[in-house]
């Protein structure tokens, strides 16, 4: 038996290749197993917790969507994505 809890960690603004401002939402899944163990995984989604999945690239300021679209971080603040 597993119990899943999702919590919002933070967000930051990115710009698309079409120069649109969008937001990447950082959330964390916390899965509690019947045996007492917990697993944590961070998720990146576009505009909402249920939005399109966002993928990290080698450059910490550049992200991509599944269709290959590029998103670039704006501003200088960098939340930890590890």
């Amino acid at each position: 038996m597993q119990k899943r809890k999702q919590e919002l960690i933070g967000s930051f603004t990115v710009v698309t290749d079409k120069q649109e401002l969008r937001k990447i939402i950082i959330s964390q899944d916390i899965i509690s197993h019947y045996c007492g163990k917990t697993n944590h995984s961070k998720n990146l989604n576009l505009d909402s917790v249920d939005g399109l999945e966002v993928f990290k690239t080698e450059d910490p300021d550049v992200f991509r969507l599944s269709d290959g679209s590029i998103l670039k971080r704006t501003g200088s603040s960098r939340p930890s994505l590890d």
Side-chain angles (χ1 to χ4, degrees):
M1 179 177 167
Q2 293 182 349
K3 189 174 186 181
R4 180 179 174 192
K5 177 181 170 187
Q6 190 173 45
E7 64 181 7
L8 182 64
I9 296 175
S11 66
F12 56 91
T13 305
V14 292
V15 63
T16 68
D17 50 2
K18 295 177 184 176
Q19 301 303 309
E20 300 170 323
L21 290 177
R22 305 290 291 269
K23 190 167 282 208
I24 291 182
I25 306 296
I26 307 167
S27 62
Q28 179 172 269
D29 289 335
I30 302 170
I31 301 172
S32 298
H33 300 276
Y34 183 73
C35 64
K37 292 182 182 179
T38 58
N39 292 357
H40 301 81
S41 64
K42 289 188 182 169
N43 308 302
L44 302 175
N45 297 90
L46 192 61
D47 295 327
S48 75
V49 177
D50 299 321
L52 294 173
E53 186 175 4
V54 177
F55 301 94
K56 294 190 268 183
T57 65
E58 291 180 13
D59 184 336
D61 292 327
V62 177
F63 302 86
R64 69 172 179 78
L65 298 174
S66 59
D67 68 0
S69 300
I70 298 296
L71 306 168
K72 294 183 182 178
R73 185 190 313 257
T74 63
S76 60
S77 62
R78 270 192 204 159
S80 173
L81 302 177
D82 295 329

